Amino acid sequence: MTTRYITTPIYYLNGEPHLGHVYTTVAADVLARYWRLAGARVKFLTGTDEHGQKVAQAAEAAGETPQAYADKMVTLFQEMTCKINASYDVFLRTTEERHHLAAKALWKKLEEAGQIYQSTYAGWYAVRDEAYYEESEIVEGRAPTGAPVEWMEEASYFFRLSAWEKPLLDYYEAHPQALAPIGRRNEVLSFIKGGLRDLSISRTKFDWGVAVPGDASHVMYVWIDALTNYITALGYPNVGGEEFQAFWPESLHLLGKDILRFHAVYWPAFLMAAGLPPPKRIFSHGWWTHEGEKMSKSLGNVVDPFKLIDTYGLDPLRYFLMREVPFGQDGNFSEDVLIQRINSDLANDLGNLAQRVLSFTYKNGGAKIPEPGELLREDRELLAKAAHLQETLHNDMETQALQAYCRHIWGVVGDANRYVDAQKPWSLKKSSDPKDLARMGTVLYVLMDVIRHVAIYTQPLMPDASAKILDQLGQDARTFEALKTPLKVGTPLNEPSPVFPRIA
Ligand code: ME8
């Protein structure tokens, strides 16, 4: 059986969830839902990154212990995950015991392999990014991300990252699909070619983290702990276990470009050093900006996704996020553009198609799927376009081309709307010629089969809205496999009602 392992980053708990987090989680959910409908065994992992200085400082500012603060903040992320209808299989918190065990096991593996040594770190650190910076990267006391940096000097364990330059380059050369999109792949390759320095992987100045095995005066650098989450969820260190064996070879990490280096350089190096294969694929998407600046908790310019959901509905927002910007590129969020998109693609194109065809048939066609007569060329053409979606959409999902997935479906919606206008089933209804009435049945049958295809394929994007359309069409079989069976004549329709209201 095909398997898929789809992950989001685990989010820091230093602020409330915002549209950026919603974006990655919705994208992962769309992929997870698609592959389940395609018959794959899917594991969808999300969760929270609860250790490190950034969370510890936020807790202190709130006057709480880090654990109490994390326990409070995590509920906001869990609520977000549910509110956006993310069909996750595992929500992992890095404060869980199984995660501490996994992170320690990975550390020990690296130690046994001679990949860790003790020394002193002296350099710049940005708590906001939980990242180290080179002297040459600091401009006017700030990291290239704009984050303030502080000088850090302390005893630290180091990981021999410098030894992994060539293995990483060889790996990426042999696996061109391992990093996407292509521009990001090039960035990572040139970063590695620029030379890798050993990485400081422990801290002594605070204790909110996973204790270093055998040396309680150190906690692990939050990123080594955080990245391990992807294998904790598969039962690491039990690499021979069924879960690990079934899912790790099919791993897909989705993340924003802000954390590409951690995922595409450090993580594969840790894994290779521990004798494990790197993730199968890393897809790094772009940023949503708001008024031109990256939306982020630290900058305080975030868009509140809950307000948007309350105003516009969840499924329209999910669709907008996937449709508006090619997955991989940046996009600027604007409520006006969101409204335009909802009105044009959802209310006008898909909503009208479903509503006019279904309510006409409900009232004038006996409220059931009509019997088609002989198919004409234009009928066959439209049906062929709908049938062809299967292959096109499969390729889109294999490459995480989420915007293309939407565009391809809406291409068929547009064809179907033009077909309705050309075939005019309502005029046929007025004719007294029985041939015209038979033709009306054929036209409506063709349209309903196309709507069935569309609504089955929009399920990953808009689970509830698609389900409503399929309910109205009287369809219980909703997997992609169901499309192999012809639409059944005589199936009763349920009373139609508009699925996508227009936003005034
Ligand atoms: O980085 N546009 O957590 P984080 C698009 N804990 N996506 C955005 C975004 C924006 N403006 N802002 C955030 C961390 N994101 C670490 C991850 S993983 C082992 C550890 C999304 O809370 C995007 O996926 O800062 C980005 O990579 C992630 O949230 C960063 O979340």
Side-chain angles (χ1 to χ4, degrees):
M1 191 185 199
T2 319
T3 55
R4 302 279 161 167
Y5 183 41
I6 301 162
T7 70
T8 70
I10 45 172
Y11 305 113
Y12 288 128
L13 292 178
N14 64 315
E16 291 181 11
H18 62 73
L19 196 66
H21 305 123
V22 166
Y23 184 53
T24 319
T25 305
V26 167
D29 186 53
V30 170
L31 287 159
R33 287 177 185 270
Y34 176 89
W35 289 115
R36 287 192 202 106
L37 289 167
R41 182 178 163 211
V42 172
K43 196 178 213 30
F44 170 10
L45 167 71
T46 189
T48 42
D49 189 353
E50 308 195 356
H51 297 130
Q53 226 173 332
K54 173 155 154 157
V55 173
Q57 283 181 357
E60 201 181 327
E64 290 173 77
T65 64
Q67 186 66 58
Y69 177 77
D71 290 344
K72 180 183 75 183
M73 295 304 285
V74 71
T75 60
L76 301 179
F77 281 82
Q78 286 164 336
E79 270 164 34
M80 168 201 94
T81 314
C82 293
K83 189 139 188 196
I84 63 179
N85 208 354
S87 59
Y88 64 93
D89 298 292
V90 182
F91 188 105
L92 189 138
R93 301 181 59 185
T94 54
T95 44
E96 287 174 49
E97 192 184 349
R98 61 173 167 159
H99 178 70
H100 279 244
L101 292 175
K104 286 179 180 170
L106 180 68
W107 181 287
K108 283 193 205 139
K109 254 284 175 281
L110 296 174
E111 206 166 39
E112 282 160 22
Q115 297 290 328
I116 295 181
Y117 63 93
Q118 203 174 4
S119 182
T120 305
Y121 179 81
W124 296 104
Y125 191 77
V127 174
R128 192 166 98 191
D129 303 339
E130 294 283 20
Y132 303 95
Y133 289 100
E134 298 289 331
E135 183 73 52
S136 58
E137 293 177 288
I138 309 299
V139 181
E140 289 173 9
R142 287 186 181 264
T145 53
V149 289
E150 59 193 58
W151 185 255
M152 220 182 86
E153 216 167 309
E154 60 187 57
S156 175
Y157 287 95
F158 282 79
F159 169 70
R160 294 189 195 282
L161 185 62
S162 57
W164 293 93
E165 239 173 81
K166 181 149 175 2
L168 281 170
L169 291 172
D170 292 346
Y171 179 78
Y172 284 129
E173 180 152 352
H175 299 86
Q177 300 306 320
L179 258 180
I182 185 85
R184 301 272 149 70
R185 175 184 150 81
N186 296 338
E187 261 172 48
V188 167
L189 294 184
S190 67
F191 175 76
I192 301 171
K193 285 178 191 156
L196 298 178
R197 295 226 279 169
D198 289 351
L199 183 70
S200 161
I201 51 167
S202 75
R203 302 292 306 272
T204 55
K205 296 269 162 68
F206 63 95
D207 62 2
W208 181 235
V210 180
V212 165
D215 187 348
S217 60
H218 289 248
V219 290
M220 291 183 198
Y221 170 41
V222 66
W223 270 102
I224 188 167
D225 148 12
L227 289 161
T228 308
N229 96 90
Y230 299 127
I231 54 176
T232 303
L234 298 183
Y236 187 81
N238 183 11
V239 294
E242 200 276 331
E243 287 266 295
F244 196 92
Q245 292 287 320
F247 290 110
W248 186 245
E250 290 302 327
S251 45
L252 167 66
H253 295 325
L254 300 186
L255 41 120
K257 63 183 183 180
D258 46 337
I259 53 175
L260 177 58
R261 199 174 287 181
F262 302 95
H263 283 80
V265 181
Y266 301 172
W267 180 224
F270 296 155
L271 288 164
M272 287 197 274
L276 294 172
K280 183 179 187 193
R281 187 166 161 93
I282 294 171
F283 193 104
S284 147
H285 64 69
W287 282 339
W288 282 96
T289 55
H290 191 214
E291 283 141 20
E293 268 206 283
K294 182 190 172 229
M295 219 179 273
S296 88
K297 286 172 279 201
S298 316
L299 295 177
N301 62 341
V302 298
V303 172
D304 177 357
F306 300 123
K307 270 199 206 131
L308 292 177
I309 293 170
D310 291 344
T311 312
Y312 303 106
L314 171 64
D315 280 351
L317 179 67
R318 287 174 57 113
Y319 173 73
F320 168 80
L321 290 174
M322 298 299 105
R323 172 61 183 85
E324 198 54 34
V325 178
F327 200 53
Q329 292 179 23
D330 294 343
N332 190 41
F333 180 80
S334 127
E335 217 159 318
D336 289 345
V337 178
L338 168 66
I339 294 171
Q340 272 170 32
R341 186 57 78 187
I342 293 175
N343 284 343
S344 70
D345 295 17
L346 299 181
N348 287 355
D349 297 348
L350 177 56
N352 257 344
L353 173 69
Q355 179 61 18
R356 57 186 179 159
V357 170
L358 293 176
S359 55
F360 181 77
T361 314
Y362 195 79
K363 287 190 200 118
N364 304 297
K368 59 183 182 345
I369 309 255
E371 169 118 35
E374 192 197 340
L375 296 181
L376 304 184
R377 186 175 51 84
E378 48 270 45
D379 307 332
R380 284 195 302 268
E381 271 174 14
L382 183 62
L383 289 172
K385 280 181 178 152
H388 189 64
L389 278 177
Q390 184 185 10
E391 194 189 328
T392 315
L393 297 179
H394 179 86
N395 292 335
D396 291 338
M397 285 306 199
E398 282 289 19
T399 53
Q400 297 81 44
L402 298 170
Q403 189 209 41
Y405 184 89
C406 302
R407 280 194 286 103
H408 288 133
I409 298 175
W410 262 256
V412 172
V413 170
D415 290 332
N417 273 320
R418 282 184 285 278
Y419 173 92
V420 182
D421 294 342
Q423 301 302 323
K424 301 189 176 53
W426 15 95
S427 311
L428 294 168
K429 168 78 188 157
K430 289 183 199 133
S431 163
S432 49
D433 186 340
K435 267 200 277 171
D436 284 341
L437 285 180
R439 178 70 196 144
M440 179 183 88
T442 308
V443 167
L444 293 175
Y445 181 88
V446 167
L447 283 165
M448 289 190 190
D449 201 17
V450 172
I451 294 170
R452 174 174 72 133
H453 277 75
V454 166
I456 283 182
Y457 288 126
T458 52
Q459 291 177 99
L461 301 164
M462 302 186 287
D464 292 340
S466 310
K468 274 190 203 150
I469 298 176
L470 290 165
D471 287 346
Q472 295 178 14
L473 254 183
Q475 300 301 303
D476 295 329
R478 298 178 179 189
T479 64
F480 302 148
E481 182 73 19
L483 291 170
K484 291 191 181 141
T485 309
L487 184 63
K488 196 160 169 264
V489 173
T491 309
L493 303 180
N494 289 307
E495 189 167 2
S497 63
V499 175
F500 302 109
R502 253 191 99 76
I503 314 284

